[in-house]
Amino acid sequence: MARKRIGEILIEAGVLTPEQLHEGLKKQKETGEPLGRVLAKLGFLTEHDFIIALSQQLDLPYLFLDNYNFDPEVKNLIPEEYARHNKIIPLFRIDSTLMIGISDPSNIDIFDELSRMTKMEIEPTLCAESEILESLDEIYGASKDMESVMQKIRTMDRGSTQRPDQESPMIQLVELMFQQAVKMKASDIHVEPEENLLRVRYRIDGVMQTVYEHPAELQDEIISRIKVMSSLNITEKRVPQDGRFNMTIGEKRFDFRVSTLPTVYGENVVIRILDQSAIQMKLEDLGMAPETFKSFNRVLHEPNGIILVTGPTGSGKSTTLYAALNSINTPDKNIITVEDPVEYRLPLIRQSNVNHKIGLTFAAGLRSILRQDPDIIMVGEIRDSETATVAVQAAMTGHLVLSTLHTNDTVSSATRLIEMGVEPFLVAASTKAILAQRLVRRICDRCKETYDPEPEIIEELNLTKVAGKIKFSRGKGCKHCRNTGYKGRLGLYEILEITESLRRLIVANAGYDDLLDQALDEGLIQLKYDGIRKVIQGQTTLEEVLRVSN
């Protein structure tokens, strides 16, 4: 039986008229482009319409890649350049068979080449060409601009001693790395030398993702360029260095804080990305529950005392403190900070960096601040007994002190100060409130779906009795969230105001369990339950809450 022409199938399906087909074939002769692309450009049908018809004609399966979750392991089976050149994409493998996505399966030589290259059987699936090209950027982590720059680098004179200008491919490569990180909303860039390659990873929504893998021979030039931008010593590779630079990307100004560390394969570089627009974050935009916001905002307007923000590294403590300072920053107050380092520059606030080399520690900086007639003091972190003692003394002498502490929850912060050597009665008298927080990933709005969590997770979070009444959501995974199911982050918060009954327990040097029982009796909503509340609201998943609350 003769195979139907693609045009006939499209007309029978009702997605194309004979007149449109005639015009499309005429245009195809002029341009030489594939018929499907021509018809899509003319607006007569979508790529998906054409792929479905082609699938019927060739008796091949088809797949739309918009919401497809790619297997990260299979991308290494096909070189990126080959995949881009032939417009194919590796999808998944089953035993010795590799499934690939392809828009034009007429070139049968590709299947033989891939079979020899991968030593596997090749099974094709029809996909839209535009989706293949977009998805290649996702799974290989390199944009078309990056590939163009890499091609220039491959052909450039490596031995040239000419001073590079701004058009140098190497300079473009590094700048594209920063631009891509900002575009993907990364918080950090990790440039990691290995024995045979230089890996670049971004931390996106708190999770590390490999984005580029460059040849090892580019390592010195890439790292040297970053060090030049950061005003670091490019000849010194034996000791760690710290620097910073800024760059305008789009319409925003970003600060890049750079840290180098010598490793066995060369200098490891970590770059923190600081969006200067983040200093405009308002306290009410942090996503606190109404009662938490009301409580935190109230203690911020106390004339004196200590307010602590606690949580692990990367939990958003600095963002909360800056938002807090913005909310109380008025011309009638003198606000001074000591930070390590100053991340965002705030108007009307005097900010200072600690400098351990010259003895300017948090404690020493705090003592100096007290001679500057402050109303409000922000200490980047209470790390030791000396800093804790000076902070308490400042709070007891009429100052409002904001700081951070590395503890798991609110209650343990009170006992931690005592463990640092501060007298229990001073902790009780000076501490106004403690805010604990975590960051969880937000469900991607583009691919949100309902699902049933694993029974073990429901049981671990004590939701067995109410699970049937809750509509659980998750992200299926799509190109907009890099197939993670998450896009962006939101905070979980737990606030503990120090009441008279809690003060009496602290003065009596009560243990953690007694303090927690009292706090719960007084209505403390723990981090985990704030997380469950946001699960019910469809903002995050139980898995995320469990990840950060354990």
Side-chain angles (χ1 to χ4, degrees):
M1 183 177 176
R3 179 181 289 173
K4 281 188 179 181
R5 293 177 180 271
I6 189 70
E8 292 178 54
I9 297 173
L10 289 165
I11 292 171
E12 288 178 5
V15 296
L16 196 69
T17 66
E19 294 76 19
Q20 289 173 330
L21 176 61
H22 177 73
E23 186 177 344
L25 289 169
K26 181 180 176 182
K27 191 73 173 178
Q28 184 193 27
K29 287 181 180 178
E30 296 173 5
T31 64
E33 292 182 302
L35 179 60
R37 189 187 305 169
V38 171
L39 293 171
K41 281 184 176 179
L42 290 171
F44 296 156
L45 46 69
T46 67
E47 277 189 290
H48 285 183
D49 292 330
F50 188 80
I51 288 295
I52 292 171
L54 188 61
S55 168
Q56 183 179 338
Q57 182 196 38
L58 302 178
D59 194 25
L60 287 175
Y62 65 88
L63 178 67
F64 300 150
L65 299 178
D66 263 353
N67 296 321
Y68 183 73
N69 283 314
F70 290 94
D71 181 350
E73 299 299 323
V74 299
K75 74 173 186 178
N76 298 321
L77 297 174
I78 301 177
E80 179 183 353
E81 289 185 19
Y82 186 90
R84 289 187 182 278
H85 178 73
N86 292 286
K87 297 181 177 64
I88 60 173
I89 189 163
L91 299 173
F92 59 89
R93 65 179 295 180
I94 300 176
D95 298 326
S96 60
T97 299
L98 175 65
M99 186 70 71
I100 66 163
I102 188 167
S103 62
D104 180 13
S106 60
N107 184 359
I108 59 175
D109 291 339
I110 289 179
F111 303 120
D112 291 334
E113 289 176 1
L114 281 173
S115 186
R116 288 195 299 271
M117 183 188 301
T118 62
K119 297 181 174 57
M120 302 178 72
E121 292 183 17
I122 305 299
E123 289 288 339
T125 298
L126 293 172
C127 300
E129 181 180 308
S130 63
E131 292 182 3
I132 288 176
L133 295 176
E134 288 179 4
S135 299
L136 285 172
D137 286 346
E138 294 171 20
I139 70 167
Y140 287 109
S143 67
K144 296 175 185 176
D145 290 337
M146 181 66 76
E147 178 56 30
S148 175
V149 170
M150 287 300 297
Q151 185 60 36
K152 292 178 185 177
I153 290 173
R154 294 185 193 101
T155 58
M156 67 187 289
D157 179 7
R158 312 291 299 173
S160 173
T161 58
Q162 183 178 355
R163 183 181 179 85
D165 56 27
Q166 289 305 115
E167 299 302 317
S168 161
M170 191 58 64
I171 290 178
Q172 293 176 9
L173 175 70
V174 174
E175 290 187 354
L176 277 171
M177 181 174 71
F178 297 132
Q179 292 167 11
Q180 182 78 351
V182 167
K183 179 182 177 182
M184 296 168 68
K185 300 187 183 302
S187 61
D188 301 86
I189 303 171
H190 290 243
V191 183
E192 304 167 333
E194 298 284 352
E195 185 175 9
N196 299 310
L197 58 85
L198 181 70
R199 181 182 296 108
V200 178
R201 295 195 291 170
Y202 296 162
R203 187 177 293 279
I204 301 172
D205 295 335
V207 178
M208 296 283 280
Q209 298 183 24
T210 298
V211 183
Y212 306 124
E213 288 184 352
H214 295 308
E217 56 265 26
L218 300 184
Q219 173 183 320
D220 288 345
E221 292 176 85
I222 290 175
I223 293 175
S224 291
R225 175 58 189 165
I226 296 171
K227 292 173 74 174
V228 166
M229 296 174 73
S230 314
S231 301
L232 300 180
N233 184 351
I234 63 172
T235 63
E236 179 57 78
K237 302 179 180 180
R238 301 165 300 171
V239 298
Q241 297 186 65
D242 295 303
R244 67 190 306 159
F245 65 94
N246 53 56
M247 179 187 295
T248 299
I249 298 176
E251 297 180 352
K252 286 187 176 182
R253 191 73 170 170
F254 294 87
D255 278 352
F256 295 86
R257 198 175 75 207
V258 181
S259 171
T260 71
L261 178 71
T263 68
V264 290
Y265 292 120
E267 290 179 284
N268 195 78
V269 182
V270 177
I271 305 158
R272 170 64 55 88
I273 304 172
L274 302 171
D275 179 358
Q276 287 303 310
S277 65
I279 64 172
Q280 301 169 3
M281 175 76 74
K282 295 180 179 179
L283 202 60
E284 53 266 34
D285 295 334
L286 294 180
M288 295 180 185
E291 63 272 22
T292 304
F293 171 78
K294 184 178 179 180
S295 178
F296 189 57
N297 190 51
R298 180 172 59 250
V299 294
L300 279 176
H301 289 84
E302 292 279 342
N304 54 61
I306 292 179
I307 300 172
L308 294 172
V309 180
T310 78
T313 301
S315 59
K317 299 188 298 296
S318 294
T319 299
T320 298
L321 283 180
Y322 282 122
L325 289 178
N326 275 332
S327 72
I328 55 178
N329 183 14
T330 55
D332 61 327
K333 294 186 179 72
N334 182 23
I335 303 177
I336 307 178
T337 75
V338 54
E339 306 172 54
D340 184 21
V342 172
E343 293 189 351
Y344 299 104
R345 280 130 173 117
L346 300 170
L348 204 63
I349 294 178
R350 310 281 72 78
Q351 297 172 267
S352 59
N353 276 309
V354 300
N355 188 335
H356 295 283
K357 294 180 180 178
I358 61 172
L360 182 56
T361 61
F362 277 122
L366 185 49
R367 286 195 178 92
S368 297
I369 287 173
L370 290 172
R371 295 192 287 271
Q372 293 282 312
D373 186 32
D375 296 299
I376 300 168
I377 301 167
M378 195 265 274
V379 183
E381 184 182 347
I382 294 177
R383 297 177 178 171
D384 52 53
S385 173
E386 186 180 11
T387 307
T389 301
V390 179
V392 166
Q393 291 171 348
M396 294 294 289
T397 53
H399 304 91
L400 182 65
V401 180
L402 281 66
S403 190
T404 69
L405 199 63
H406 279 277
T407 55
N408 290 328
D409 60 8
T410 53
V411 174
S412 59
S413 297
T415 57
R416 178 71 181 124
L417 289 176
I418 295 171
E419 290 169 359
M420 283 183 169
V422 181
E423 291 292 338
F425 77 91
L426 290 175
V427 173
S430 62
T431 308
K432 295 293 183 180
I434 304 165
L435 181 79
Q437 65 179 75
R438 299 289 190 278
L439 290 178
V440 293
R441 292 181 291 174
R442 188 188 296 271
I443 296 171
C444 175
D445 288 334
R446 300 285 189 94
C447 58
K448 194 173 183 178
E449 65 175 9
T450 58
Y451 81 115
D452 295 320
E454 294 294 328
E456 295 81 5
I457 296 177
I458 291 176
E459 185 177 349
E460 190 165 350
L461 289 170
N462 298 320
L463 294 174
T464 305
K465 293 181 180 179
V466 297
K469 303 175 183 178
I470 300 174
K471 181 181 177 182
F472 296 102
S473 300
R474 69 178 176 188
K476 185 178 179 181
C478 65
K479 66 180 181 181
H480 301 286
C481 61
R482 291 179 60 83
N483 299 300
T484 62
Y486 299 98
K487 188 74 172 179
R489 291 194 286 179
L490 69 152
L492 307 184
Y493 301 95
E494 165 188 320
I495 191 163
L496 177 69
E497 286 194 67
I498 306 302
T499 61
E500 284 303 319
S501 54
L502 285 170
R503 285 195 176 93
R504 286 193 292 271
L505 286 174
I506 293 171
V507 169
N509 205 8
Y512 173 86
D513 290 339
D514 291 334
L515 289 170
L516 178 60
D517 288 342
Q518 181 62 38
L520 290 173
D521 286 344
E522 295 180 1
L524 173 69
I525 299 174
Q526 293 176 285
L527 278 167
K528 179 170 63 176
Y529 297 106
D530 187 41
I532 292 171
R533 176 163 44 190
K534 284 164 181 171
V535 166
I536 295 171
Q537 294 168 351
Q539 297 185 67
T540 190
T541 63
L542 283 179
E543 288 83 355
E544 274 295 285
V545 173
L546 197 59
R547 179 177 68 86
V548 303
S549 61
N550 279 345

